[in-house]
Amino acid sequence: MIELIWTIPLIPLLGFVVLGLLRNQLPRPVIAVIGCGVILGSFLLSCGIFKEVYDARQLGESGVFSKEIFNWFTVGSFSLNLSFLVDPLSAIMLLIITGVGFLIHLYSSCYMLHDDGFGKYFSYLNLFIFFMLLLVLGSNYLVMFIGWEGVGLCSYLLIGFWFKNSSYAKAAKKAFVMNRIGDLGFLIAIFFILANFGSLEYSEVLPKAALLPMGDSLLLVITLLLFVAATGKSAQIPLFTWLPDAMAGPTPVSALIHAATMVTAGIYMIARSNIMFTLSPITMQVIAIIGVATALIAAFIAITQNDIKKVLAYSTVSQLGYMFLGLGVGAFTGAFFHVLTHAFFKALLFLGAGSVIHAMSSEQDMRSMGGLKKALPITFITMMIGTVAIAGIPPLSGFFSKDEILAYAFVSNPVFWVLGFLGALCTAFYMFRLMYLTFYGKFRGTKEQEHHLHESPWQMTLPLIILAILSFVGGALNIPEALGGGHWLKEFLSPVFAQTNAVATPFELSHSTEYILMAASAIGAIIMAFVAYQKYVKKEDIPQADGATEQSGLYKLSYNKLYVDELYAALFVKPLNGLSKFFHRIVEKSGVDGLVNGIGDLFVSSGKGVRQLQSGHVGFYIFMMVIGVIAFMLYGLFTI
Amino acid sequence: MDSLFQNMQGIPMNHYLIFCSIIFVIGVIGVLIRRNVIIIMMSIELMLNSVNLLLAAFSAYSGDPSGQVFVFFIMALAAAEVAVGLAIIIMVYRNTKSVDIESLSKLRW
Amino acid sequence: MDNLFILLLLPVVSAIILAFMKSTSAKWAAFVLALLQLGLTIPFICNFVPDASVQFSQSWSWISNLGINFHVGLDGISLPMLILTNGLIPLIILASFGHQKTGNFYALISFMQAGLVLVFISLDAFSFYIGWEAALIPIYFICALWGEGDRIRINMKFFVYTFFGSLLMLIAIIYLYQQSGTKDLSWTTLTQLSLTEGSQRWIFWAFFAAFAIKIPLFPFHSWQPDTYTHAPAAGTMLLSGIMLKMGLFGLLRWLLPLVPDAVASYGMVAMIMSLIGVVYGSIIAFKMNDAKRLIAYSSIAHVGLISAGIFSFSQEGLQGAVLQMINHGISVVGLFFIIDVIQQRLGTRDLKELGGLATKMPILAICFLIILMGAIGLPLTNGFIGEFLLLKGIFSTAEHGVWYAVIGGTTLIFGAVYMLRFFQKAMLGTAQKDVLDIQDVRGYEALLLIIISALVIIIGVFPNCLLHLSEASVSQLLQQIK
């Protein structure tokens, strides 16, 4: 099975090539079958791989396999192979990518059916899966980097999918450029790793890194640079503003790329290099602080957004912040567990939102929705499950994963816990706000929209149902000891985090404290759900159109996304554009080129001056000649 | 030949030098201050001839006939120069009805 | 057939034939002759043994009483350049099919090819200099006769500027000729001269000036944007695709081995100049609305990075430079061709007047995207391998390598900014001009774009086929320097 590992990314690549070339020739059903079929194929192969890893783990082995595909390039002593590595971590990621990916492909086959670019859409989506698989399967940092940049390209293509709208095209560009800032960090980190460890293979770099002392400055630099890369890809402060704008893409894309898979690449990368991070406590602190700050700020912004996808986008940013908080406090398993559950419930929520948008004839503003419960029962129920899960109410999956992170945060520093807890309260509030505004109350849209309301067909509801089930039971994968669970995921992943576990201080928290923390967050979430219910269902306090009522300063701050975009525009975009004009108009014209032209002009003008002597008066010429002869004679006289 | 040398050596060298210098300077001044092209040509001849005389004198004093050979060269050259120069002057005169050197001042930048 | 002389003779003969041909048949004849030249290059590629030695070496006594020989040969650095020249020129000729050009135009291209080939294969400073100038004269006429706008004045500046640099180099060559005891100008003799520190210094600057103007490096670049924008499409491609590689190649072949001590002490200055060019060119490219000028400035940034890689004196940097020269040639020809296609279709290349072309020209848009991704160095395209190796080389520079790499690495970000802006303004959004009757690329246009896109990906996935050519020669060169 492991021998066939290369087919997992190859199949989607073939799908991309076939669909890309024949996108206008093939009929739509065939495109849908090919597009979904290749991902299903990959998924089945991934299941086989997973089973192999699982069996190996059952036998007590580490479950790590690697396979070299071909030598990519060799320069001097440095040789880089395109090679794959399967271990418990990448095996689970494989399942998420191909599994959730397949569901979203299936969903798209209906959602995008009437779009002109149906074939193009599926080819891009297949290409994305290919790059994402490369990212998680790579056995060295450069192969990961291929995937890392490749998914960025696909994200660019899919955000700008409806490129006729130039603001969408701009959003796509913004995403790509912001990701590139992170990518530069990644590349420099790769150079550091290569220069100091002599290789990029995980199997060589990580053991060597493990030998370094705690707090080593080299590791500090490498991990900080890797974290910069992660902030770009996983939308953390300060590079998070692209993700909300990325909602310009089709909704299934938001579900797949900007919720379930690509944005978690940063967490995957840090989890993959966990030992380097564990050995640099300063980086860990930075990650935790950035993570918790992102979680809070994004949750704060999400409270006032009215676009259903924007709320989910900020929610994603916020949840990613939790994952980084988890990484920062050393809860690698917890963070990864949250990646897993988040993939289920956030994909579910996005697909549900897509179903709503589909039913509402492309309306995304929640102010025009309401009372959709009856028209969209399956969407409503599944989304409610997703909401309960993300809000962290037991026994759904989000509760377990978020709680593990928060428990670790509490051990690391109670302040993190308090902030994380506040963020969780916001999460519960804005998610229930979304549900209430969308599904409860009276319908606020146009008559025509009301007439068109319909539940989506099976291709769209089936993925919703499956994801809802997964969101419901996903928590069972890693039930903490305090609740009598066996920490299955932690055990399964332990070979990946073995080096960290050997160094890091073990997690110790009395069961009673853990119960209190769990109860606090669960009760808090329920209270927030109730508050939202009071506000949006009982009082029907529907947000007004822009500028209709005077709002408090805090509300405005949240509504305008803390003015971060404006800040960046003032800090970076405008100065750079100004610099560009300055360089072009001043430095280039008068400086560099001015100097060159100046030298040319010098000769021209000196020629102009000297030619005055050529007056045409022969008498003058003769006079000058005589003067010259006399001068020579005098010179001769005085030198001899 | 020898008697010619002796006759020439009868006059001291200094006299030749001073005499030639005077003629040469007259020629130079003539070239510089006169505006009539023909007179300028004549002045140039004057300068050439002063040099010829000096060459002949030195040749006689040093007993080396090659100086006189040069004199012949210069005379031949001067004849050619006068032929060409006068032809130019005639053409100028035909066009401008003047032999004033200033009438040619259009040949400039 | 493995006589290098034939590669010089054929373009000259072609030039003479083409000069007497009518315009309709000339373009096909030129294309066939260029393909023939490419075909004749293949035996050299196949028979080349990838080691450090000079192969297919040929030497004739030329001006025997001055000791000047005509000496040519190939090694791992010049072979890629030869492939680039002979591979790109058929494409450039193909690219000019849409324009009605006379036989003279193609004759000049062929003549220039002879000069370029001579530059890359000569192992003698004298013939190198002759090739160097022989390549300049045809391109001057191509740009001055078939260009647009204020072409005479601008080409005058270009010619005089580059010629000024060449003369400095000529002085240095003459000095070296005096210094060599055997009165010999062959590469082997000159590189073994032991020069004093003072003479090394000025020889370095004389050669460097010639190469830096040709490349062009900041701040010697000011001829370049104007010349590119006012040249005909084929002229721009020749200039940017091949001719500026003469300068980079000159650094590798002549400057580094000739004056190793001076290179060691002034290399950092050159490195910093190159890096300034990277940032400066990129930043100016941000706001350019003339597409050709945008690519011209981006080209300054790209070649700045290549030159910085050369001055890193590392295996990766130098091999990356050789590879990236080819990559840059490929992608820049593609980009200029796309601009030319757009300009032919719409009559403008001003980004403010373009937009929404992707709907009408999907094939163009896809190829554009692939070439663009190559230009900004996305993994699995050719540009990535080049940029990765260059940056790795720069990173390993002894002092402050990290910071140099960071500054050079900004091209990753800035490149994305201006290239995507270009793509967005031209291809995406809604159409600004009436584009209803615009047709997608067809026939030779599609063929050309597909070839270039394919090369972008093939080199990106299998770079080893080019990298192994230069490996041994580069490591020998590095040993020579150290």
PDB file of all heavy atoms in Angstrom, chain C residues 233-250:
ATOM      1  N   ALA C 233       8.611  44.412 -30.923  1.00  0.00           N
ATOM      2  CA  ALA C 233       8.484  43.291 -29.982  1.00  0.00           C
ATOM      3  C   ALA C 233       9.681  42.358 -30.069  1.00  0.00           C
ATOM      4  O   ALA C 233      10.260  41.975 -29.051  1.00  0.00           O
ATOM      5  CB  ALA C 233       7.200  42.543 -30.267  1.00  0.00           C
ATOM      6  N   ALA C 234      10.070  42.011 -31.304  1.00  0.00           N
ATOM      7  CA  ALA C 234      11.188  41.075 -31.445  1.00  0.00           C
ATOM      8  C   ALA C 234      12.470  41.676 -30.880  1.00  0.00           C
ATOM      9  O   ALA C 234      13.283  40.971 -30.271  1.00  0.00           O
ATOM     10  CB  ALA C 234      11.384  40.723 -32.917  1.00  0.00           C
ATOM     11  N   GLY C 235      12.631  42.984 -31.066  1.00  0.00           N
ATOM     12  CA  GLY C 235      13.821  43.639 -30.537  1.00  0.00           C
ATOM     13  C   GLY C 235      13.854  43.575 -29.023  1.00  0.00           C
ATOM     14  O   GLY C 235      14.895  43.290 -28.419  1.00  0.00           O
ATOM     15  N   THR C 236      12.703  43.825 -28.396  1.00  0.00           N
ATOM     16  CA  THR C 236      12.654  43.743 -26.944  1.00  0.00           C
ATOM     17  C   THR C 236      12.996  42.340 -26.466  1.00  0.00           C
ATOM     18  O   THR C 236      13.712  42.159 -25.483  1.00  0.00           O
ATOM     19  CB  THR C 236      11.252  44.111 -26.442  1.00  0.00           C
ATOM     20  OG1 THR C 236      10.772  45.180 -27.222  1.00  0.00           O
ATOM     21  CG2 THR C 236      11.284  44.498 -25.009  1.00  0.00           C
ATOM     22  N   MET C 237      12.459  41.357 -27.190  1.00  0.00           N
ATOM     23  CA  MET C 237      12.734  39.970 -26.775  1.00  0.00           C
ATOM     24  C   MET C 237      14.217  39.652 -26.914  1.00  0.00           C
ATOM     25  O   MET C 237      14.799  39.004 -26.048  1.00  0.00           O
ATOM     26  CB  MET C 237      11.927  39.007 -27.642  1.00  0.00           C
ATOM     27  CG  MET C 237      10.446  39.090 -27.393  1.00  0.00           C
ATOM     28  SD  MET C 237       9.613  38.020 -28.560  1.00  0.00           S
ATOM     29  CE  MET C 237       7.963  38.653 -28.452  1.00  0.00           C
ATOM     30  N   LEU C 238      14.809  40.102 -28.022  1.00  0.00           N
ATOM     31  CA  LEU C 238      16.240  39.842 -28.204  1.00  0.00           C
ATOM     32  C   LEU C 238      17.046  40.514 -27.106  1.00  0.00           C
ATOM     33  O   LEU C 238      17.950  39.911 -26.521  1.00  0.00           O
ATOM     34  CB  LEU C 238      16.704  40.364 -29.560  1.00  0.00           C
ATOM     35  CG  LEU C 238      16.319  39.541 -30.780  1.00  0.00           C
ATOM     36  CD1 LEU C 238      16.606  40.328 -32.033  1.00  0.00           C
ATOM     37  CD2 LEU C 238      17.095  38.241 -30.795  1.00  0.00           C
ATOM     38  N   LEU C 239      16.683  41.769 -26.828  1.00  0.00           N
ATOM     39  CA  LEU C 239      17.426  42.510 -25.814  1.00  0.00           C
ATOM     40  C   LEU C 239      17.322  41.847 -24.461  1.00  0.00           C
ATOM     41  O   LEU C 239      18.314  41.577 -23.792  1.00  0.00           O
ATOM     42  CB  LEU C 239      16.856  43.925 -25.700  1.00  0.00           C
ATOM     43  CG  LEU C 239      17.319  44.961 -26.709  1.00  0.00           C
ATOM     44  CD1 LEU C 239      16.464  46.192 -26.578  1.00  0.00           C
ATOM     45  CD2 LEU C 239      18.759  45.314 -26.424  1.00  0.00           C
ATOM     46  N   SER C 240      16.082  41.569 -24.043  1.00  0.00           N
ATOM     47  CA  SER C 240      15.901  41.092 -22.670  1.00  0.00           C
ATOM     48  C   SER C 240      16.125  39.600 -22.568  1.00  0.00           C
ATOM     49  O   SER C 240      16.615  39.110 -21.568  1.00  0.00           O
ATOM     50  CB  SER C 240      14.502  41.447 -22.198  1.00  0.00           C
ATOM     51  OG  SER C 240      13.570  40.848 -23.055  1.00  0.00           O
ATOM     52  N   GLY C 241      15.727  38.872 -23.628  1.00  0.00           N
ATOM     53  CA  GLY C 241      15.825  37.426 -23.540  1.00  0.00           C
ATOM     54  C   GLY C 241      17.259  36.937 -23.623  1.00  0.00           C
ATOM     55  O   GLY C 241      17.654  36.050 -22.872  1.00  0.00           O
ATOM     56  N   ILE C 242      18.021  37.495 -24.539  1.00  0.00           N
ATOM     57  CA  ILE C 242      19.353  36.937 -24.771  1.00  0.00           C
ATOM     58  C   ILE C 242      20.457  37.944 -24.485  1.00  0.00           C
ATOM     59  O   ILE C 242      21.440  37.639 -23.835  1.00  0.00           O
ATOM     60  CB  ILE C 242      19.496  36.437 -26.224  1.00  0.00           C
ATOM     61  CG1 ILE C 242      18.278  35.625 -26.610  1.00  0.00           C
ATOM     62  CG2 ILE C 242      20.735  35.596 -26.349  1.00  0.00           C
ATOM     63  CD1 ILE C 242      18.307  35.147 -28.023  1.00  0.00           C
ATOM     64  N   MET C 243      20.246  39.191 -24.980  1.00  0.00           N
ATOM     65  CA  MET C 243      21.394  40.081 -24.976  1.00  0.00           C
ATOM     66  C   MET C 243      21.873  40.430 -23.576  1.00  0.00           C
ATOM     67  O   MET C 243      23.069  40.519 -23.324  1.00  0.00           O
ATOM     68  CB  MET C 243      21.051  41.348 -25.721  1.00  0.00           C
ATOM     69  CG  MET C 243      22.283  42.143 -25.967  1.00  0.00           C
ATOM     70  SD  MET C 243      22.069  43.179 -27.360  1.00  0.00           S
ATOM     71  CE  MET C 243      23.285  44.373 -27.030  1.00  0.00           C
ATOM     72  N   LEU C 244      20.922  40.620 -22.639  1.00  0.00           N
ATOM     73  CA  LEU C 244      21.409  40.983 -21.307  1.00  0.00           C
ATOM     74  C   LEU C 244      22.118  39.821 -20.636  1.00  0.00           C
ATOM     75  O   LEU C 244      22.897  40.014 -19.701  1.00  0.00           O
ATOM     76  CB  LEU C 244      20.285  41.549 -20.445  1.00  0.00           C
ATOM     77  CG  LEU C 244      19.082  40.715 -20.050  1.00  0.00           C
ATOM     78  CD1 LEU C 244      19.394  39.818 -18.878  1.00  0.00           C
ATOM     79  CD2 LEU C 244      17.964  41.648 -19.668  1.00  0.00           C
ATOM     80  N   LYS C 245      21.901  38.594 -21.149  1.00  0.00           N
ATOM     81  CA  LYS C 245      22.633  37.452 -20.600  1.00  0.00           C
ATOM     82  C   LYS C 245      24.103  37.524 -20.957  1.00  0.00           C
ATOM     83  O   LYS C 245      24.932  36.909 -20.295  1.00  0.00           O
ATOM     84  CB  LYS C 245      22.036  36.143 -21.109  1.00  0.00           C
ATOM     85  CG  LYS C 245      20.533  36.031 -20.996  1.00  0.00           C
ATOM     86  CD  LYS C 245      20.085  36.167 -19.570  1.00  0.00           C
ATOM     87  CE  LYS C 245      18.587  35.968 -19.394  1.00  0.00           C
ATOM     88  NZ  LYS C 245      17.759  36.872 -20.164  1.00  0.00           N
ATOM     89  N   MET C 246      24.401  38.283 -22.037  1.00  0.00           N
ATOM     90  CA  MET C 246      25.816  38.480 -22.372  1.00  0.00           C
ATOM     91  C   MET C 246      26.568  39.082 -21.194  1.00  0.00           C
ATOM     92  O   MET C 246      27.680  38.672 -20.869  1.00  0.00           O
ATOM     93  CB  MET C 246      25.955  39.427 -23.563  1.00  0.00           C
ATOM     94  CG  MET C 246      25.679  38.796 -24.896  1.00  0.00           C
ATOM     95  SD  MET C 246      25.446  40.014 -26.207  1.00  0.00           S
ATOM     96  CE  MET C 246      26.842  41.070 -26.007  1.00  0.00           C
ATOM     97  N   GLY C 247      25.945  40.049 -20.549  1.00  0.00           N
ATOM     98  CA  GLY C 247      26.592  40.700 -19.413  1.00  0.00           C
ATOM     99  C   GLY C 247      26.784  39.734 -18.265  1.00  0.00           C
ATOM    100  O   GLY C 247      27.868  39.649 -17.669  1.00  0.00           O
ATOM    101  N   LEU C 248      25.715  38.973 -17.961  1.00  0.00           N
ATOM    102  CA  LEU C 248      25.817  38.030 -16.844  1.00  0.00           C
ATOM    103  C   LEU C 248      26.830  36.942 -17.157  1.00  0.00           C
ATOM    104  O   LEU C 248      27.637  36.544 -16.307  1.00  0.00           O
ATOM    105  CB  LEU C 248      24.445  37.418 -16.580  1.00  0.00           C
ATOM    106  CG  LEU C 248      23.422  38.401 -16.040  1.00  0.00           C
ATOM    107  CD1 LEU C 248      22.021  37.847 -16.183  1.00  0.00           C
ATOM    108  CD2 LEU C 248      23.700  38.721 -14.588  1.00  0.00           C
ATOM    109  N   PHE C 249      26.786  36.492 -18.417  1.00  0.00           N
ATOM    110  CA  PHE C 249      27.745  35.476 -18.827  1.00  0.00           C
ATOM    111  C   PHE C 249      29.164  36.032 -18.741  1.00  0.00           C
ATOM    112  O   PHE C 249      30.094  35.339 -18.315  1.00  0.00           O
ATOM    113  CB  PHE C 249      27.428  35.041 -20.259  1.00  0.00           C
ATOM    114  CG  PHE C 249      28.437  34.111 -20.847  1.00  0.00           C
ATOM    115  CD1 PHE C 249      28.415  32.771 -20.530  1.00  0.00           C
ATOM    116  CD2 PHE C 249      29.418  34.578 -21.703  1.00  0.00           C
ATOM    117  CE1 PHE C 249      29.346  31.915 -21.058  1.00  0.00           C
ATOM    118  CE2 PHE C 249      30.358  33.724 -22.234  1.00  0.00           C
ATOM    119  CZ  PHE C 249      30.322  32.392 -21.913  1.00  0.00           C
ATOM    120  N   GLY C 250      29.314  37.305 -19.125  1.00  0.00           N
ATOM    121  CA  GLY C 250      30.624  37.944 -19.043  1.00  0.00           C
ATOM    122  C   GLY C 250      31.166  37.933 -17.626  1.00  0.00           C
ATOM    123  O   GLY C 250      32.357  37.699 -17.402  1.00  0.00           O
TER     124      GLY C 250
END
